[in-house]
């Protein structure tokens, strides 16, 4: 009889410990918790409107190109931003020009100094805008995944709410001013492709 | 009197044992352990051998420990190297979460750990983490993918190890672009464990259910080679576009032959050299290191493959 009691007590104990050692949560609740932890959209909105659009943001494209040709190391250290190790750096540039062509969502621009540049308004992805702004530090976020979510939120804002509606209104021959991210590789400075990820395009 | 002598000899023994466990004497070289997730993949062999070479060039003894993609083996490796008196660890983790406990064990033993290539889910465990910028690299591949497919088609994604952060950083970067183009439909996503043979088998099976795919995106070049092999065997190598990640020499060759479309060039030698240099600086007294150091990944395709001989 004693044995039966012992087994019952042991079974109750095992069930109690088992019950206390695990718990279940709805996946939707966990996902919601992750989303609510940090508001990347609000962060990107502030970063864009109060940081990237501030008056002192960006170097003139002509000034940068002159410096790249004459003092490339200074150009990279003063205006460029490279997180970690690599040959490339991102620059926030601004300029004026006339639209010479609209091709597959991209704008071909002829600048006032006769330079031909492309505003890649279709492929606004990656870390170009975030890093060119020099406003977000790697150490501001705990993991690279979180750090990259800033880029995704910023790109979505710029691509869908800023650039897409603007580009729809633009036509060949329009005079515009622009600001955006330019990626330059130290190893290939002789054949620079002026492909700029736009942050803002304004019809003049 | 005899008792006092016994106590004195015991004390001497304890003191001499303690001194033997202390740091190296002036003539002894510090020992650096290179703990690698797996040596079954040539990419990690390059990472391991470069780390050993760089540590030796800086004047240290170095030894490779292979974790065989198994967190339990990795844990044993850490136990062994801690008890064997290694002074620093250049570490390529097997698991973003599971490896943290091993790093903390080493940290508790006063051994600095410098992660190479794979990130762990903790920013206060490793002394520093030197990591490929997988996300940005795969954003570039994603753009190349959209352009190559002209924004339309069915594709398969073969991801790497599910527990590895690189797997999701690569997949995340790729999807951050490709998912914005509704004409591109992912018909299957399956793990190939970063392994060539497994990726080949996975794609062979997937092609039975989805014979009409237009492209395959693989989370590393070993799997891209496996996928290409499967497509070749099925007579579809000319029709289906393959994309990889790593910058392995055989894939670079295939890009040159226009058989694989693009890959992301990683720099294992740069990561190994930086990790060895950081260990060297740690021995010299430096204690503040950046927690994460991203290393650029460059897109390699038919247009620029000549720059990657």
């Amino acid at each position: 009889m004693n044995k039966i009691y012992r087994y019952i007590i042991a079974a109750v104990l095992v069930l109690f410990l088992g019950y206390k050692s695990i718990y279940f949560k709805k996946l939707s609740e966990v996902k919601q918790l992750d989303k609510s932890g940090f508001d990347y959209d609000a962060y990107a909105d502030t970063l864009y409107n109060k940081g990237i659009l501030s008056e002192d943001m960006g170097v003139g494209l002509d000034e940068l190109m002159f410096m790249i040709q004459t003092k490339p190391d200074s150009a990279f250290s003063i205006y460029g931003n490279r997180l970690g190790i690599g040959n490339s750096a991102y620059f926030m540039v601004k300029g004026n020009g006339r639209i010479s062509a609209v091709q597959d969502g991209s704008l071909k621009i002829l600048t006032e100094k006769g330079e031909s540049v492309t505003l890649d308004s279709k492929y606004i992805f990656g870390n170009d805008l975030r890093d060119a702004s020099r406003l977000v530090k790697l150490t501001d976020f705990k993991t690279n995944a979180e750090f990259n979510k800033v880029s995704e939120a910023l790109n979505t804002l710029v691509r869908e709410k800023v650039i897409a509606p603007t580009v729809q209104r633009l036509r060949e021959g329009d005079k515009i001013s622009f600001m955006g991210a330019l990626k330059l590789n130290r190893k290939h400075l002789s054949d620079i492709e002026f492909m700029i990820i736009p942050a803002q395009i304004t019809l003049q | 009197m005899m008792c006092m002598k016994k106590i004195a000899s015991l004390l001497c023994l304890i003191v001499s044992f303690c001194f033997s466990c202390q740091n190296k004497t002036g003539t002894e070289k510090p020992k650096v352990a290179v703990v690698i997730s797996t040596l079954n993949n040539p990419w990690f062999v390059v990472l391991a051998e470069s780390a050993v070479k760089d540590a030796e060039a800086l004047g240290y003894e170095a030894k490779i420990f292979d974790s065989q993609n198994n967190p339990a083996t990795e844990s044993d490796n850490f136990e062994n190297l801690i008890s064997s008196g290694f002074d620093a660890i250049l570490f390529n983790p097997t698991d973003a979460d599971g490896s943290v406990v091993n790093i903390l064990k080493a940290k508790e033993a006063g051994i600095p750990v410098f992660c190479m290539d794979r990130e762990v889910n903790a920013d206060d465990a490793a002394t520093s983490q030197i990591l490929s910028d997988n996300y940005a690299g795969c954003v570039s591949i994603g753009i190349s993918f959209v352009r190559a497919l002209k924004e339309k088609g069915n594709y398969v994604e073969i991801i790497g190890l599910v527990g590895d952060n690189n797997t999701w950083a690569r997949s995340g970067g790729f999807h951050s672009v490709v998912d914005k183009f509704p004409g591109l439909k992912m018909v299957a996503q399956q793990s190939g464990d970063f392994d060539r043979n497994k990726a080949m088998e996975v794609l062979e099976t997937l092609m039975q259910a989805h014979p009409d795919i237009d492209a395959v995106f693989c989370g590393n070049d070993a799997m891209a080679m496996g996928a290409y092999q499967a497509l070749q065997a099925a007579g579809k190598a000319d029709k289906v576009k393959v994309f990889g990640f790593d910058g392995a020499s055989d894939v670079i060759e295939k890009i040159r032959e226009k058989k694989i479309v693009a890959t992301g060039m990683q720099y294992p030698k740069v990561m190994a050299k930086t990790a060895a240099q950081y260990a060297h600086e740690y021995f010299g007294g430096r204690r503040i290191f950046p927690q994460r150091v991203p290393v650029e990944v460059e897109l390699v395709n038919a247009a620029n493959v000549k720059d990657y001989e």
Side-chain angles (χ1 to χ4, degrees):
Chain A
M1 197 62 185
N2 273 347
K3 265 190 177 177
I4 291 169
Y5 285 125
R6 270 188 220 154
Y7 287 141
I8 291 169
I9 290 166
V12 168
L13 201 68
V14 166
L15 283 171
F16 177 75
L17 288 174
Y19 175 75
K20 283 287 178 189
S21 62
I22 56 166
Y23 66 94
F24 296 95
K25 256 186 170 181
K26 281 184 180 174
L27 188 59
S28 56
E29 280 175 16
V30 175
K31 282 183 176 171
Q32 190 56 41
L33 193 72
D34 180 45
K35 277 180 191 165
S36 63
F38 186 84
D39 191 340
Y40 289 93
D41 292 339
Y43 182 86
D45 195 86
T46 309
L47 176 66
Y48 181 72
N49 287 298
K50 295 191 175 161
I52 292 175
L53 294 187
S54 63
E55 275 184 23
D56 56 348
M57 179 60 68
V59 55
L61 183 62
D62 297 328
E63 184 189 340
L64 176 70
M65 293 331 296
F66 178 73
M67 205 164 174
I68 288 285
Q69 282 157 15
T70 53
K71 296 177 192 165
D73 289 340
S74 302
F76 271 79
S77 64
I78 296 169
Y79 298 117
N81 188 26
R82 162 88 251 148
L83 299 174
I85 302 165
N87 295 313
S88 302
Y90 296 100
F91 299 79
M92 192 64 87
V93 296
K94 52 190 176 188
N96 301 302
R98 202 172 283 281
I99 299 173
S100 58
V102 182
Q103 287 174 354
D104 191 26
S106 290
L107 304 174
K108 301 279 176 195
I109 311 293
L110 201 62
T111 68
E112 287 166 347
K113 289 211 169 176
E115 209 73 72
S116 181
V117 303
T118 302
L119 299 182
D120 189 357
S121 47
K122 189 172 188 178
Y123 294 100
I124 302 175
F125 297 102
N127 298 326
D128 300 41
L129 290 174
R130 183 199 67 191
D131 291 351
S133 78
R134 309 210 284 186
L135 295 172
V136 193
K137 290 199 293 268
L138 192 60
T139 46
D140 292 344
F141 293 88
K142 204 173 174 182
T143 64
N144 279 351
E146 291 171 2
F147 191 48
N148 293 330
K149 281 183 189 171
V150 174
S151 287
E152 287 183 10
L154 178 63
N155 292 334
T156 303
L157 169 71
V158 173
R159 190 178 58 242
E160 294 173 9
K161 293 185 180 164
V162 179
I163 298 300
T166 309
V167 168
Q168 277 182 351
R169 297 197 309 268
L170 297 174
R171 299 286 176 269
E172 203 177 305
D174 284 348
K175 201 177 174 199
I176 60 160
S177 61
F178 60 86
M179 179 173 63
L182 175 66
K183 184 180 180 183
L184 295 176
N185 188 318
R186 285 172 196 270
K187 278 165 65 184
H188 302 290
L189 290 179
S190 56
D191 53 344
I192 295 172
E193 191 187 1
F194 292 94
M195 181 72 83
I196 295 166
I197 305 290
Q200 190 186 38
I201 303 172
T202 312
L203 185 62
Q204 287 185 331
Chain B
M1 194 60 187
M2 279 295 281
C3 186
M4 284 294 281
K5 271 187 182 174
K6 274 183 187 172
I7 290 169
S9 0
L10 192 66
L11 275 173
C12 282
L13 208 68
I14 291 167
V15 169
S16 62
F17 176 76
C18 287
F19 270 104
S20 72
C21 293
Q22 293 277 317
N23 285 338
K24 310 279 173 292
T25 61
T27 53
E28 236 179 316
K29 287 179 186 174
K31 293 197 290 183
V32 174
V34 178
V35 183
I36 295 292
S37 59
T38 175
L39 292 176
N40 268 344
N41 180 328
W43 194 92
F44 290 110
V45 175
V46 172
L47 184 72
E49 289 178 349
S50 303
V52 166
K53 204 176 114 196
D54 291 322
E56 285 174 349
L58 289 163
Y60 307 113
E61 267 183 44
K63 188 182 172 188
I64 297 173
F65 294 80
D66 180 4
S67 303
Q68 297 164 12
N69 266 340
N70 183 345
T73 310
E74 181 182 278
S75 182
D76 292 344
N77 284 338
F78 267 72
E79 298 281 357
N80 288 341
L81 66 89
I82 290 169
S83 61
S84 309
F86 278 85
D87 302 283
I89 303 168
L90 311 186
F91 181 39
N92 172 241
T94 54
D95 190 281
D97 290 310
S99 296
V100 174
V101 66
N102 294 326
I103 299 174
L104 290 175
K105 262 188 242 167
K107 192 179 178 182
E108 206 178 298
I111 304 170
V113 179
F114 302 93
C115 289
M116 302 182 290
D117 177 54
R118 287 180 173 176
E119 186 182 7
V120 291
N121 288 333
D123 65 349
D124 54 358
T127 313
S128 183
Q129 303 189 67
I130 301 113
L131 314 161
S132 271
D133 194 348
N134 293 290
Y135 175 87
C138 282
V139 165
S140 301
I141 289 176
I143 293 171
S144 169
F145 188 93
V146 174
R147 285 184 170 138
L149 273 90
K150 298 187 171 62
E151 302 176 27
K152 200 178 156 192
N154 295 331
Y155 72 94
V156 164
E157 182 186 10
I158 305 180
I159 59 172
L161 289 164
V162 175
D164 177 18
N165 269 351
N166 286 356
T167 295
W168 300 112
R170 290 173 196 176
S171 184
F174 175 77
H175 284 285
S176 76
V177 180
V178 175
D179 291 359
K180 302 289 178 192
F181 295 86
L184 290 166
K185 189 181 166 202
M186 183 170 74
V187 293
Q189 181 191 53
Q190 209 165 310
S191 172
D193 288 344
F194 289 134
D195 182 81
R196 181 175 177 150
N197 290 333
K198 180 146 188 212
M200 187 177 75
E201 288 163 16
V202 163
L203 190 58
E204 279 169 352
T205 309
L206 289 176
M207 278 195 294
Q208 288 170 15
H210 307 284
D212 58 342
I213 57 168
D214 302 290
V216 186
F217 169 59
C218 300
N220 79 346
D221 277 350
M223 296 195 296
M225 287 302 291
Y228 180 77
Q229 226 173 316
L231 291 166
Q232 217 175 12
K236 294 181 176 180
D238 294 337
K239 182 185 167 278
V240 181
K241 294 177 168 57
V242 179
F243 296 75
F245 190 90
D246 272 350
S249 55
D250 44 4
V251 166
I252 296 294
E253 194 49 44
K254 288 276 179 281
I255 291 173
R256 197 169 285 123
E257 294 167 5
K258 296 198 166 67
K259 289 176 176 167
I260 286 181
V261 180
T263 187
M265 175 62 75
Q266 293 197 86
Y267 291 94
K269 289 180 182 176
V270 171
M271 284 187 271
K273 191 172 186 170
T274 308
Q277 180 62 32
Y278 276 8
H280 177 61
E281 288 170 21
Y282 186 93
F283 295 143
R286 180 178 171 187
R287 288 295 179 270
I288 309 291
F289 293 88
Q291 177 54 219
R292 282 172 283 144
V293 181
V295 178
E296 185 179 13
V297 174
E298 295 177 0
L299 178 76
V300 184
N301 55 22
N304 69 356
V305 69
K306 62 181 187 313
D307 298 332
Y308 297 90
E309 297 294 339

